Amino acid sequence: MRKTLITILTCAGLLLNTSCKKFLNTTPTDFLSPVNYYQTDDQINTALTGIYDILGKTGTYGRYLFFEMDVADDAFVALPSWTQDVGLYNYDPSDTKINTCWALLYQGINLSNLVLENIDKSALTQANKNVAKGQALFLRAYFYFILTSNWGDVPLRLASTKSVNENNVPRTPYKVVYQQIVADMEQAADLVNPITAYTYNSRITKSVVWGILARVNLKMAGAPLRDASRFAEAKKWAGKVMTDAPHALNPDYKQVFKNMCQHIYDTKESIWEVEFSIKNGTQDEGGSVGVINGIGTSNATVGYSYGAKHATQRYYNLFGTNDLRRDWSIGPYTYTSSTSSVLIYYTAAQIYNRCDAKWRREFESSTVKFTNTSAINFPLLRYADVLLMYAEAENEVNGATSLAYNAINLVRERAYGVGLGLSTATAADLTAGMDKDTFREAVRKERALELGYEGLRRFDLIRWGIFVSTMKSIGNEITTTAPSGYTYGGVSGNNVSNRDTLFAIPSKETSLNSSIVQNKGW
């Protein structure tokens, strides 16, 4: 997408091009204003780019939402010098990360509101208006989904900010926010293009909206709302991705993530990605995928990585012996520090040494590799996730039916290399005849194995109502059983309390918004 789009900040340049001859015009037409800006395809696309751009910021999927704000039982922050941070569940409401993320999400909401308020005034064809409106509606709803999932009741702003005096907005009840999210997304589903309209996967398409609607409804069915009727809705929307769009799993699990490193767009498997890029030897849109996480190394040829997210032994042991995902998700080696790329494999005893390795800079296609940023894309929705959401929802509605088994077994068969001729379906598939409770646990385990390090683990544990107990358990396990050099890795779990199912309302918001109330425990 970013090959053809420019950032919304470019619009500000229009202010510098005002003609002196028109300076005294009573009705100016050459300055940036909602009244005279949202007129053409280029202007609407530029405005939409500004909304999409929020997804790639450091405060969202450039780093925070998959690293510090998603520390759970699969990984620990491998930076022993850190003693206070949101990722350690030891911070205060002035924390830069939660303040930045909150502000960016509301910035995206405001930009979405501007497009929605002005799109009908444009000269676009009705078809183009519909597509643009659908994207803006969905993105506004998605930003609210991130907000309410992480902060609970949040101010619901459905109109753009017109004045600095509009700060005092109270928190809207969680249920009402979700009703708006669902309404916006369902409307967007009818407006946006099918995924076949694009050769890349960073645009909002029907498949994206359907898949995220499945995720939203699963969250509504879980904690804290616990509306069980939403399982049927989750099944419906996941089912539409499976039957109404040309999606399929890539037979090679590793290739899914290599593609993201190389900007290869496999839209059958990877439905929605945040796209980062390098142009003309400079960072055009830089994230930290593979840099803050990834296999830690100072090897410039491979590409620098802090390796700041390490695997827990519990997560490593969760994988079956022949599960190909284990040694891809969890790095089995590191690199020499020289300019060569010789691999140094860990011993069987070296589990806590190993890094989150889904995105490896050795496969990054860019010829320029920066120290603190990369051009590797980040996935927001994969087809494997859709299959697992369908299996989960079907089990909750009808029990462990053949439909539920078929969905989860597709994921497991790929994990064991059935499509590569490395195993048989019989060896990979779940044991038949499970009851609902046993199958539920099997789905939860499979989500951990398939989707680890993709910014969804904390989200899943919270909606299942087991986040605090799981984190306390892993914190104690690391502190008491890890090698002495890694016992510090238990700090996140040891610090967790019930308040940490939500983040603190940022201090900047509470200082500006006298109508907002802080979350419990803060």
Side-chain angles (χ1 to χ4, degrees), residues 45-217:
N45 278 332
T46 299
L48 285 172
T49 302
I51 309 173
Y52 278 101
D53 193 58
I54 298 297
L55 295 168
K57 299 296 187 183
T58 298
T60 55
Y61 292 106
R63 171 169 166 167
Y64 296 168
L65 286 174
F66 70 82
F67 180 43
E68 289 96 339
M69 297 173 76
D70 186 53
V71 174
D73 63 328
D74 53 350
F76 62 94
V77 177
L79 298 169
S81 61
W82 285 16
T83 58
Q84 184 175 7
D85 189 79
V86 64
L88 303 179
Y89 300 105
N90 180 31
Y91 66 101
D92 60 50
S94 66
D95 183 270
T96 299
K97 297 178 180 70
I98 63 167
N99 276 267
T100 300
C101 186
W102 174 283
L104 283 169
L105 294 171
Y106 272 108
Q107 182 183 342
I109 288 165
N110 195 58
L111 291 170
S112 300
N113 285 335
L114 281 167
V115 170
L116 294 170
E117 289 165 2
N118 291 282
I119 187 70
D120 288 334
K121 303 173 187 176
S122 72
L124 275 65
T125 64
Q126 190 59 52
N128 286 346
K129 285 181 182 178
N130 288 344
V131 173
K133 183 178 181 180
Q135 291 175 75
L137 273 170
F138 174 84
L139 287 167
R140 180 177 73 176
Y142 187 74
F143 295 140
Y144 271 121
F145 178 47
I146 302 173
L147 280 163
T148 196
S149 294
N150 286 294
W151 283 279
D153 299 347
V154 295
L156 184 62
R157 301 171 184 263
L158 301 178
S160 62
T161 302
K162 308 296 191 300
S163 167
V164 293
N165 298 320
E166 297 177 13
N167 291 324
N168 296 327
V169 181
R171 300 174 69 169
T172 303
Y174 180 92
K175 184 175 182 179
V176 176
V177 178
Y178 264 93
Q179 288 170 344
Q180 185 68 47
I181 291 169
V182 170
D184 281 354
M185 288 189 178
E186 289 185 353
Q187 184 180 358
D190 293 330
L191 298 173
V192 297
N193 285 323
I195 199 165
T196 51
Y198 307 102
T199 57
Y200 47 86
N201 48 18
S202 49
R203 276 282 189 181
I204 304 306
T205 64
K206 292 186 184 298
S207 296
V208 171
V209 181
W210 296 337
I212 297 299
L213 270 167
R215 187 180 293 169
V216 168
N217 279 284

Side-chain angles (χ1 to χ4, degrees), residues 9 24 51 61 70 93 99 102 107 143-144 183 190 203 232 288 291 308 329 351-353 357 426 432 478 480 514:
L9 296 177
L24 298 179
I51 309 173
Y61 292 106
D70 186 53
N99 276 267
W102 174 283
Q107 182 183 342
F143 295 140
Y144 271 121
D190 293 330
R203 276 282 189 181
S288 58
V291 177
S329 297
I351 304 300
Y352 285 97
N353 306 62
T426 301
I478 294 173
T480 57
S514 61

Side-chain angles (χ1 to χ4, degrees), residues 360-397:
R360 306 183 186 189
R361 298 198 72 185
E362 64 183 280
F363 297 104
E364 188 177 354
S365 57
S366 174
T367 56
V368 179
K369 294 184 179 181
F370 292 94
T371 299
N372 291 311
T373 56
S374 79
I376 300 173
N377 289 359
F378 186 80
L380 298 183
L381 180 67
R382 294 197 290 114
Y383 187 55
D385 186 5
V386 173
L387 291 170
L388 294 175
M389 289 191 289
Y390 182 87
E392 179 178 354
E394 168 66 8
N395 181 59
E396 296 299 335
V397 174

Side-chain angles (χ1 to χ4, degrees), residues 175-413:
K175 184 175 182 179
V176 176
V177 178
Y178 264 93
Q179 288 170 344
Q180 185 68 47
I181 291 169
V182 170
D184 281 354
M185 288 189 178
E186 289 185 353
Q187 184 180 358
D190 293 330
L191 298 173
V192 297
N193 285 323
I195 199 165
T196 51
Y198 307 102
T199 57
Y200 47 86
N201 48 18
S202 49
R203 276 282 189 181
I204 304 306
T205 64
K206 292 186 184 298
S207 296
V208 171
V209 181
W210 296 337
I212 297 299
L213 270 167
R215 187 180 293 169
V216 168
N217 279 284
L218 282 179
K219 173 62 176 174
M220 296 173 75
L225 193 59
R226 299 190 185 279
D227 179 358
S229 69
R230 289 290 164 175
F231 283 119
E233 285 294 296
K235 175 191 170 183
K236 178 184 76 175
W237 293 112
K240 285 184 71 65
V241 181
M242 295 162 63
T243 60
D244 294 1
H247 294 291
L249 295 176
N250 188 310
D252 186 348
Y253 184 76
K254 295 182 293 185
Q255 191 61 44
V256 174
F257 304 95
K258 290 180 182 179
N259 287 343
M260 294 172 197
C261 295
Q262 299 167 355
H263 286 256
I264 297 171
Y265 304 104
D266 178 5
T267 58
K268 290 185 177 181
E269 159 85 29
S270 191
I271 299 172
W272 186 23
E273 294 178 9
V274 180
E275 190 165 356
F276 302 98
S277 63
I278 291 176
K279 291 182 180 178
N280 301 321
T282 60
Q283 197 75 51
D284 178 57
E285 184 72 51
S288 58
V289 183
V291 177
I292 190 65
N293 54 356
I295 297 176
T297 182
S298 58
N299 188 316
T301 302
V302 171
Y304 187 91
S305 173
Y306 290 92
K309 206 168 191 178
H310 278 213
T312 65
Q313 179 144 3
R314 179 187 296 186
Y315 187 51
Y316 182 88
N317 292 342
L318 196 64
F319 290 88
T321 303
N322 298 316
D323 191 331
L324 302 176
R325 295 172 297 191
R326 186 192 68 187
D327 288 342
W328 185 260
S329 297
I330 302 171
Y333 56 77
T334 186
Y335 308 95
T336 60
S337 59
S338 68
T339 55
S340 65
S341 54
V342 176
L343 306 182
I344 304 171
Y345 281 85
Y346 293 114
T347 68
Q350 294 176 304
I351 304 300
Y352 285 97
N353 306 62
R354 306 182 188 212
C355 299
D356 157 11
K358 277 188 169 176
W359 301 276
R360 306 183 186 189
R361 298 198 72 185
E362 64 183 280
F363 297 104
E364 188 177 354
S365 57
S366 174
T367 56
V368 179
K369 294 184 179 181
F370 292 94
T371 299
N372 291 311
T373 56
S374 79
I376 300 173
N377 289 359
F378 186 80
L380 298 183
L381 180 67
R382 294 197 290 114
Y383 187 55
D385 186 5
V386 173
L387 291 170
L388 294 175
M389 289 191 289
Y390 182 87
E392 179 178 354
E394 168 66 8
N395 181 59
E396 296 299 335
V397 174
N398 297 312
T401 65
S402 60
L403 293 173
Y405 268 99
N406 290 342
I408 194 172
N409 283 338
L410 283 172
V411 177
R412 288 182 58 81
E413 287 168 16

